[in-house]
Amino acid sequence: MCGICASVGFKNGVELVVDGLKKLEYRGYDSSGIAYLKNDEINLIKSVGQIKNLQEKITDNLQSDVVIGHTRWATHGKVSVENAHPHISFGKSFALVHNGIIENYEHLKKQFQIDNLYSQTDTEVLINLIEKQEGKTLDKLIGACNMVEGSFAVCLIEKKSDKIYLAKRNSPLMVAISQNGCMAGSDISIFAKKFEECFILEDDEFVIASAKKLDFFNKYGEKIEKTPLNISNFDFSDENLNEKYFMLKEIKEQPIVLKKTFFKYFSENYLNEQLLSQLGKFKKFHFIACGTAYHSSLMGALFLEKFCRKECQVSIASEFRYANRVLSKNCLYVFVSQSGETADTIACAKLVKEKGMKVMCVTNVPYSTLEHIADFVLPTFAGKEVAVASTKAYVSQVFTLLIMVLKMAKIDEQDLLKDFVLRYDNFNFDEKLLFPISKFKKVFFIGRGQDYVTSLEASLKLKEIAYLNCMGMASGELKHGTLALIDKETLVIAVSTVESLKSKVESNIEEVKARGGKVLLLSNLVHNVDVDFRIDLPSFDEILMPIVSVIPLQLLAFNYALMLGYNPDKPRNLAKSVTVE
Ligand code: F6R
């Protein structure tokens, strides 16, 4: 999983590609690099770590009009300069950047005797495979790609050539042209303010891009026509960082995201009667997603069962993918994904679509691969999310799914939701809580129903950015095993926002206290139990509390990570968009 970017024709190609890579850094930041043509020869600059390290190695005013760049999230081979892309062929004629995984690279390596590689990457096999093919450069690229199993989006350059070659399968790639040149890359953000339209490549399409021209081909090398997508109205605006950290900026944006979502779904009527009636015809809903999006799916399923009495199922995409599940035409398959590019989620969407099922996606990135596959699209309006840990995207998914469910159930809660989005404001997290909490080595989040889902999400946040080994669980499950772990070194964070389940939560808290565990209660309700710490939540209608309760827990994770000296925006070993299996 990586980000790629290329420029041809523009005199300031190096600058454009490095700027593009910065926008793609959410796809990985283990290492980065560029390859560019100078005096007809290929030159490489690579660095380990974030793009800023690469920038330090690039001399001022380095000019080239043929440039490719890459930001890496390591899959094959450790994080090192050797394994950083671009990779160059043995004959030094070609350089390549690649996003994806060549699954049969070992086999290809043996078959074509590609030995003595410089790196441990599957990509270096691919670039040498390309060099070994017959014919012109496009034929070589097509020949190699046709032998590859797996996923790839690649940009290839050749010495003494003023062209860039592109190919893709199962990894995103798009290209745009203006009077001054072409750019290509992994997502639309790299085109911001430079291009009016772009072309989104389909699987097994190939491109020759030069300063003045784009030619498209299919996998047989035949020329094809493509229709451009107008991006002049695309919203590239919300990337400015006013806070020191994107994660804090994004947490603070949540009240605005809620207002925007309400406005889009009620004033602009994004979910019209026709779509609602189509959705209403499905007897069953099966949500499929990963990570945080899996949690918002769990919440969506709770809403759907409660208000529409529709049978719901929720699956983790990587599990669904190989489970050979029984599919049904009465069921709508709902894929929730912030990026719309998560490999496991996309693979499942393709799988059910190929079997003739209907697919809906709930996604935050317009024109994403998932949107492309889906029959129905429910956009979320969180705006660009940069921090690796998802915050505003989660809240926007939960709110969007709630709106969908209420509309499907024909429950007119417009006033209630409006009052909420107008009144809900940022939560003031009391940092004094951090020190006592930080004394605990074991942390469990517990809750029931919607609060159980919040517990799962809160625990994921704390794990991924503060590296705390914690766990979210259903309160009622404690006594079935986990209670054995509770002692005076344990903190249990109990989430309680459902009046009818209050007494059950209190019993669970007593069970913890009886074993010496300490308790932090996060609630808007009046509870009849003594606890060690409390976070009081503002009170809104119960159906809105999943949004209200998760935000202080996002802030808890953020502040905890800072206190330990970690960068919450870029947690170790992770990337924003997981475009590999
Ligand atoms: C956690 C997080 C991840 C993503 C997951 C799915 O904070 O961000 O767990 O939720 O990788 O990503 P999307 O929603 O882009 O499919």
Side-chain angles (χ1 to χ4, degrees):
M1 170 174 69
C2 308
I4 59 178
C5 185
S7 161
V8 58
F10 294 101
K11 293 280 166 285
N12 60 338
V14 173
E15 184 192 332
L16 290 177
V17 167
V18 172
D19 278 352
L21 290 181
K22 279 200 229 149
K23 293 186 175 144
L24 298 172
E25 213 174 8
Y26 72 89
R27 302 176 70 88
Y29 37 82
D30 286 335
S31 61
S32 59
I34 57 167
Y36 59 96
L37 280 198
K38 199 85 198 164
N39 303 326
D40 278 339
E41 293 298 325
I42 296 173
N43 295 268
L44 292 177
I45 306 176
K46 301 186 194 188
S47 177
V48 165
Q50 297 174 28
I51 313 283
K52 60 179 192 235
N53 301 352
L54 175 70
Q55 275 177 300
E56 281 165 16
K57 288 188 165 180
I58 298 176
T59 50
D60 287 348
N61 296 324
L62 177 64
Q63 304 254 308
S64 169
D65 55 6
V66 180
V67 188
I68 55 176
H70 187 274
T71 182
R72 177 169 189 247
W73 186 77
T75 54
H76 290 73
K78 64 181 192 301
V79 177
S80 65
V81 171
E82 298 80 60
N83 289 335
H85 296 218
H87 289 285
I88 195 156
S89 61
F90 290 145
K92 307 232 175 312
S93 308
F94 297 99
L96 183 86
V97 286
H98 166 218
N99 164 214
I101 293 184
I102 309 298
E103 286 169 6
N104 57 342
Y105 82 102
E106 286 287 6
H107 170 79
L108 293 169
K109 202 169 137 185
K110 274 198 200 99
Q111 188 184 348
F112 288 89
Q113 294 169 352
I114 303 170
D115 298 320
N116 301 322
L117 292 168
Y118 176 70
S119 74
Q120 299 146 332
T121 64
D122 50 345
T123 306
E124 202 186 350
V125 175
L126 179 60
I127 184 66
N128 286 300
L129 181 67
I130 293 169
E131 192 174 62
K132 280 176 180 275
Q133 301 306 302
E134 298 293 329
K136 294 188 179 157
T137 309
L138 179 69
D139 305 320
K140 286 175 184 280
L141 179 62
I142 295 179
C145 288
N146 285 345
M147 280 186 270
V148 159
E149 284 165 21
S151 58
F152 55 83
V154 296
C155 301
L156 173 80
I157 57 171
E158 184 181 12
K159 72 176 187 183
K160 297 186 187 152
S161 161
D162 57 0
K163 296 182 178 61
I164 285 180
Y165 298 81
L166 313 174
K168 88 135 228 157
R169 188 190 305 151
N170 293 330
S171 291
L173 188 58
M174 40 214 85
V175 59
I177 184 160
S178 72
Q179 280 179 343
N180 301 321
C182 292
M183 280 187 78
S186 304
D187 90 24
I188 212 160
S189 65
I190 59 158
F191 302 136
K193 299 188 194 97
K194 295 180 208 75
F195 299 90
E196 295 280 297
E197 45 187 39
C198 77
F199 296 86
I200 298 184
L201 301 189
E202 301 287 335
D203 283 352
D204 295 304
E205 286 184 348
F206 297 81
V207 183
I208 303 181
S210 58
K212 299 264 171 268
K213 206 162 146 240
L214 284 176
D215 287 312
F216 298 94
F217 302 87
N218 63 17
K219 64 176 179 183
Y220 308 106
E222 297 157 352
K223 256 190 157 186
I224 53 170
E225 294 298 323
K226 278 189 76 74
T227 316
L229 178 80
N230 190 312
I231 52 169
S232 50
N233 292 328
F234 191 79
D235 182 10
F236 292 108
S237 58
D238 44 11
E239 288 169 34
N240 297 330
L241 182 59
N242 302 321
E243 296 289 340
K244 188 164 176 210
Y245 295 102
F246 276 106
M247 185 171 173
L248 187 58
K249 166 189 177 277
E250 289 160 6
I251 291 174
K252 286 188 175 174
E253 277 171 357
Q254 292 179 114
I256 300 169
V257 169
L258 292 169
K259 289 185 185 69
K260 198 165 163 187
T261 308
F262 176 84
F263 177 77
K264 293 281 182 192
Y265 278 100
F266 287 97
S267 305
E268 293 187 13
N269 206 7
Y270 259 75
L271 199 52
N272 58 30
E273 286 306 320
Q274 198 197 351
L275 180 52
L276 279 172
S277 108
Q278 281 177 296
L279 296 185
K281 287 187 188 134
F282 290 98
K283 292 205 164 32
K284 224 180 126 179
F285 285 70
H286 193 148
F287 291 84
I288 299 158
C290 304
T292 287
Y294 169 70
H295 299 153
S296 58
S297 300
L298 289 171
M299 207 65 96
L302 283 181
F303 296 148
L304 253 174
E305 294 206 326
K306 178 170 176 177
F307 294 108
C308 302
R309 305 306 296 153
K310 296 274 185 194
E311 196 185 328
C312 289
Q313 222 176 329
V314 189
S315 295
I316 292 172
S318 54
E319 284 298 310
F320 181 93
R321 189 170 178 180
Y322 300 106
N324 194 13
R325 301 293 286 266
V326 176
L327 304 179
S328 155
K329 290 245 159 86
N330 288 329
C331 177
L332 179 63
Y333 294 85
V334 185
F335 295 84
V336 183
S337 170
Q338 186 283 128
S339 61
E341 300 296 346
T342 301
D344 283 320
T345 312
I346 289 171
C348 297
K350 283 186 174 168
L351 192 144
V352 297
K353 181 104 197 208
E354 273 160 23
K355 300 215 162 131
M357 308 297 138
K358 289 286 182 212
V359 166
M360 179 164 104
C361 76
V362 181
T363 176
N364 196 38
V365 180
Y367 313 118
S368 61
T369 307
L370 202 54
E371 259 202 34
H372 203 61
I373 298 169
D375 301 290
F376 311 112
V377 177
L378 208 60
T380 53
F381 296 98
K384 183 159 181 165
E385 194 178 62
V386 177
V388 166
S390 190
T391 52
K392 61 176 183 168
Y394 172 75
V395 157
S396 71
Q397 285 159 356
V398 171
F399 197 43
T400 305
L401 288 168
L402 178 63
I403 292 172
M404 177 192 86
V405 167
L406 294 177
K407 284 191 174 221
M408 279 174 67
K410 299 201 184 342
I411 300 174
D412 184 9
E413 294 286 26
Q414 192 168 339
D415 289 343
L416 179 90
L417 300 188
K418 189 171 177 186
D419 174 66
F420 170 62
V421 299
L422 291 178
R423 282 203 297 129
Y424 184 74
D425 205 357
N426 275 312
F427 184 84
N428 282 325
F429 181 79
D430 183 359
E431 287 173 30
K432 285 205 286 296
L433 268 177
L434 286 175
F435 181 67
I437 295 175
S438 67
K439 290 192 303 202
F440 297 98
K441 299 276 171 295
K442 282 179 278 178
V443 175
F444 293 95
F445 291 85
I446 60 167
R448 286 174 182 259
Q450 60 188 36
D451 298 329
Y452 162 49
V453 180
T454 304
S455 300
L456 294 176
E457 175 56 12
S459 156
L460 178 63
K461 291 291 93 97
L462 205 52
K463 267 180 229 170
E464 71 180 318
I465 62 168
Y467 316 144
L468 190 77
N469 190 349
C470 55
M471 188 177 173
M473 58 181 307
S475 317
E477 273 291 290
L478 263 184
K479 58 186 172 295
H480 296 289
T482 309
L483 208 53
L485 287 172
I486 306 288
D487 57 18
K488 60 181 184 345
E489 306 231 296
T490 315
L491 177 69
V492 172
I493 302 182
V495 186
S496 173
T497 67
V498 182
E499 188 68 44
S500 60
L501 298 172
K502 205 169 83 170
S503 59
K504 308 278 171 225
V505 175
E506 288 171 3
S507 309
N508 296 132
I509 290 177
E510 293 297 355
E511 285 159 17
V512 170
K513 282 171 46 187
R515 273 89 191 164
K518 299 284 180 269
V519 176
L520 186 163
L521 176 63
L522 180 102
S523 180
N524 58 319
L525 308 174
V526 181
H527 273 281
N528 225 344
V529 62
D530 280 338
V531 291
D532 304 277
F533 314 102
R534 260 197 88 110
I535 296 181
D536 291 317
L537 298 172
S539 218
F540 290 92
D541 192 280
E542 192 172 291
I543 56 171
L544 295 161
M545 290 311 290
I547 293 168
V548 178
S549 57
V550 78
I551 295 174
L553 296 171
Q554 295 169 346
L555 284 163
L556 171 75
F558 172 81
N559 285 296
Y560 204 101
L562 278 194
M563 188 183 73
L564 298 177
Y566 302 131
N567 176 354
D569 282 349
K570 296 209 166 112
R572 66 189 181 205
N573 306 338
L574 300 177
K576 180 74 185 151
S577 190
V578 186
T579 58
V580 293
E581 208 184 322

